Amino acid sequence: MKKYGVRAVLTFSLFFVLAGLGQAAQLVDRIVAVVNGEIITFQDLQQQIRLSVGQTPDPATAEKIAPQVLDGMIDDVILRQEAQRLKIEVSDSEVENEIRQFKARRRLSEEDFERTLRLQGLTPEQFKERSREDITKHKMLGYMVRRKVVVTQEEIDAYMEQNRSELTTERIVDVQMLVLVDEERANSLWKSLSAGEVSLEEAVERYSVGPKAENGVMRDVSWRELAEPWRDGLRNLSAGELSKPFLVQDKWVILKLLDRRDGVRQEDAAVEEEVREAILRPKLEERFKEYMNGLRSKAIIQKKL
C-alpha cells in the first residue's frame, strides 16, 4: 500500500508538471489575432517585433510596440489574402529587376546600396522581401486605384524649380544617427541631447537599434541615397545641429549633421524620373491607405492581445 501510495503521488505530481508545461506552451503559442480565419500567434508577433527593432527589445519596449506591430501584421495578412484573390504573383526575377532599377535610379554602386540598407536598418533579405511587397502593392494599385493617380509635367517642373539646388548639384553629407523604437524615448533623449545632458555617442551606445559602428557615423553619403524623411530631417540643419525625431519605417531617428558639401552637377533630364517618383510615391501611398482601410473594414478581425 505504501509503495502504491508513493507511485500515486509521483504520478499525480507528474500530471501537474506536464499540465503546467502544456499551459506554458499554450501561453507562448497563444493566438493573438485571427484575420479572415488565418491566425497570428504570439511567437509570430515576437519574431516580427525582433525584425522591426533589429534586435530583441527589453520587455517594456516589446509590450509597448506590440499593438502597432500586430496591426501591421494584420494589414500584411489582408494584403496577401487580397493578392491571392486577385491571383497576383511576383516572381523572383521581378524582384531582382526592381532592385536593379532602384540602384540605377539613384545611381548607386553596390557599396552605396549596402550603405543605403544600413541607413534604413535593413538586411539584403529584408529589402528583397520589402521589394516583393512593394511590387505586390503596386500591382494591386494597378488593378484598383493607380489609374486615378497622375503626375503632371507642371508638378514635375514646379518640384524641380523648388528643389533645383538639391537636384542639380549632388550633395554629400556626413551624419551621425540615433535610431529608436519608442517615440516617447526619442523625444526624451532629444531634449537631453539638446540640453547637453547626454552625448550623442553615449545615446547611440546605450539605446540605438541602428548602426553602432563608429558611434553611428556614416560618411560621404550621397543625398540621393537618402529617402525623403531623411532629407526633410537634414534639409535645414547646419553642421553640428540635431534634427528633431522623425519616423522612418516604424522607427524614430535623430540625426546630427556633421558636414555637408557639394559634388558633381547633374543635368535636369537626368533627375526628371527621380522627381516623378518622388511626387508619385506619396500619392500612391495615400490611395493605398484608402484602399487598405476599405479592405480592413470588410475583413473579419479578432484581436486577442
Side-chain angles (χ1 to χ4, degrees):
M1 289 291 293
K2 186 174 182 180
K3 187 181 293 184
Y4 176 80
V6 170
R7 183 180 300 161
V9 169
L10 288 173
T11 302
F12 195 61
S13 299
L14 182 60
F15 170 79
F16 276 103
V17 168
L18 292 174
L21 289 173
Q23 289 174 351
Q26 287 180 349
L27 181 64
V28 171
D29 293 331
R30 73 181 188 272
I31 294 171
V32 294
V34 183
V35 187
N36 293 327
E38 184 171 336
I39 66 171
I40 299 174
T41 68
F42 183 75
Q43 283 190 333
D44 294 333
L45 176 60
Q46 293 303 302
Q47 182 180 19
Q48 189 59 41
I49 288 173
R50 287 193 293 272
L51 285 173
S52 297
V53 174
Q55 61 188 36
T56 301
D58 61 83
T61 299
E63 183 178 1
K64 194 166 189 176
I65 67 174
Q68 177 185 348
V69 174
L70 181 59
D71 279 339
M73 294 177 73
I74 289 170
D75 283 347
D76 288 344
V77 171
I78 293 172
L79 180 63
R80 186 175 67 254
Q81 290 174 342
E82 184 67 5
Q84 289 170 349
R85 186 185 74 80
L86 294 171
K87 296 182 171 54
I88 292 174
E89 296 180 354
V90 178
S91 67
D92 290 341
S93 61
E94 286 179 287
V95 175
E96 294 299 332
N97 185 55
E98 175 63 24
I99 293 173
R100 281 196 297 272
Q101 289 185 17
F102 176 86
K103 295 175 185 175
R105 283 195 299 269
R106 289 164 174 78
R107 298 186 286 284
L108 301 178
S109 65
E110 193 60 35
E111 183 181 350
D112 293 335
F113 175 65
E114 291 173 1
R115 180 166 50 189
T116 299
L117 295 191
R118 291 199 300 273
L119 280 167
Q120 299 182 47
L122 296 173
T123 66
E125 280 307 310
Q126 287 172 328
F127 185 80
K128 187 176 289 187
E129 283 310 304
R130 188 156 291 179
S131 297
R132 188 182 299 276
E133 291 171 6
D134 281 346
I135 296 169
T136 302
K137 184 187 296 186
H138 279 75
K139 285 188 174 184
M140 291 175 71
L141 285 165
Y143 275 103
M144 310 304 293
V145 300
R146 191 179 182 114
R147 63 185 179 276
K148 303 175 186 176
V149 181
V150 176
V151 176
T152 66
Q153 188 62 46
E154 288 77 12
E155 288 177 296
I156 293 173
D157 293 342
Y159 186 101
M160 290 182 69
E161 186 61 34
Q162 185 176 355
N163 299 280
R164 185 168 298 278
S165 61
E166 293 178 4
L167 293 167
T168 58
T169 301
E170 181 65 279
R171 181 174 294 177
I172 307 296
V173 294
D174 297 338
V175 298
Q176 187 173 13
M177 72 188 74
L178 172 62
V179 185
L180 306 152
V181 295
D182 183 353
E183 182 181 8
E184 185 177 337
R185 173 169 284 179
N187 287 323
S188 174
L189 277 172
W190 179 75
K191 290 177 183 176
S192 296
L193 289 164
S194 300
E197 297 169 355
V198 64
S199 71
L200 188 53
E201 288 74 16
E202 291 175 284
V204 169
E205 178 62 30
R206 293 181 60 185
Y207 304 110
S208 186
V209 298
K212 292 191 177 184
E214 297 187 28
N215 295 315
V217 173
M218 302 285 282
R219 299 190 183 279
D220 299 321
V221 179
S222 167
W223 195 252
R224 285 187 171 79
E225 295 177 45
L226 301 172
E228 196 60 35
W230 296 78
R231 297 183 190 184
D232 287 342
L234 289 168
R235 186 167 280 123
N236 297 317
L237 295 184
S238 298
E241 290 185 334
L242 285 173
S243 72
K244 289 185 177 180
F246 59 92
L247 189 62
V248 177
Q249 296 172 350
D250 299 324
K251 297 185 181 71
W252 291 89
V253 179
I254 298 173
L255 295 178
K256 182 177 183 179
L257 178 62
L258 302 177
D259 188 30
R260 177 169 53 204
R261 52 203 176 275
D262 291 338
V264 179
R265 288 187 60 80
Q266 305 291 331
E267 297 299 325
D268 286 357
V271 297
E272 185 165 322
E273 187 58 34
E274 180 183 340
V275 169
R276 184 182 299 276
E277 181 186 353
I279 298 171
L280 180 63
R281 179 167 288 276
K283 289 187 175 187
L284 288 174
E285 291 296 336
E286 188 59 36
R287 291 290 189 187
F288 191 76
K289 284 179 185 176
E290 295 171 6
Y291 178 47
M292 280 301 301
N293 287 339
L295 291 177
R296 191 167 179 134
S297 68
K298 299 173 187 174
I300 300 172
I301 302 168
Q302 296 174 290
K303 289 201 278 189
K304 304 180 179 182
L305 185 61

